[in-house]
Amino acid sequence: MNDSPQRRLRLTWGGATDQGRVRANNQDAMYADWGLFVVADGMGGHQGGEVAANLAVRTMTRAKRDTIRELHDAVQEANKVVYETAIAQPELHGMGTTLTSLAVIREGGSRKFVALNVGDSRIYHYRNNQLTQLTDDHSYVAELMRRGELDEEAAAVHPYRNMLTRAIGVHSEVEIDEWLVDPVAGDRFLLCSDGLTNEVSDDAIAERLSIGQDPSATARELVHLANERGGRDNSTALVVDVQIDDIDGESDQGSVEHEDGGETPGVSPAEESTPEKIAATDAFELRTKSSSSYPKKQRSWLNDRVGISVATVLIASVLLIASAAMVATIGWYARDGYHVGVVANHVVIQKGRVGGLLWFNPTLEEWTEIQVAQLNDQDQRNLIAGKPLTDLAQAREFLAQLRTRLVDPDSESRGGG
Ligand code: MG
């Protein structure tokens, strides 16, 4: 039975996350432990995004996850927890999160990676100098691109490029995509949020992975690159390296230690303290909050200059105050008013201007059960473009009228649109 040597799967991993140069907080969360790697990117005003991402990740870590079925159940459970919390707490209404996870299971005597995804965080697989995006993005522009209706250039500037078509916590159940990968020595996986991929191209990611630095250094480099190229969103990178050792007369059973149901370190909800570094077999860095991964260059700007004159400091202060006031004004303008639009194929009320302004994105105010397919052609065009309205009452009134014009999506009358 034991003619061929046993093989032991050995994983090393490292992660980095940063709030970026624009956002006020970090709504990304991540977790890594032997056998489970997760990245989540929360959305929703106030603390919503942060709470959603951390709740989802924490739920995953506490669930049983030895089989593909159990992993799916864990994601459904994460969805349920976020969904029910959002309903129960008005200040968290409308929150949601992406969730992408890579887990190791044993199937038929060998180990396999199971990748599960909801949303537009990604898992990349780097093998034989080839980078493959394993997961599909569940975003409005990605759907249009898959249908051949939008190219990459147009997608990059599309007003709805941040809109998700699937997310954790939006409905009582969620559809989950799944991939299985047989591990091969030398494989590298990258789990990341869109804050990374919107700034750093696939080619640049492949180049970083090809250099062969250890996972922690690679993850830090990638997040650093995202910040250098704008840092317009929180960015998170979690790199997992695969090694396979031949061992005689020993099984690899000892390599896996899952903690079912118990307290798992590493992730906590937003209201609890910042998670500690995870105990792991190999060096691993984890930060789920804003952080210190990278020094903010602009913060040390004044201190770095020795012998700077008082006048220069005064002028700099005045300029800083003026720019802060300008940013506040733009923010106020961008967040003024409401509009009715489309998110994840549903009609929604959003606060803020259509498409946002600079780095101020509109936020989800009210979700409706109305789907795009139920709209007549003209409403469909209007709402995909976004219908601006001055206040919430007006937006609700508009929705009430819209409901009287809904069509049966299965009838022939709407034509091809
Ligand atoms: Mg993001």
Side-chain angles (χ1 to χ4, degrees), residues 23 27-28 41-42 98 120-121 162 193-196 198 233-235:
R23 297 290 169 95
Q27 302 197 329
D28 286 358
D41 176 357
T98 71
D120 69 348
S121 295
N162 296 325
S193 62
D194 70 332
L196 181 80
N198 285 337
D233 191 5
N234 313 140
S235 63

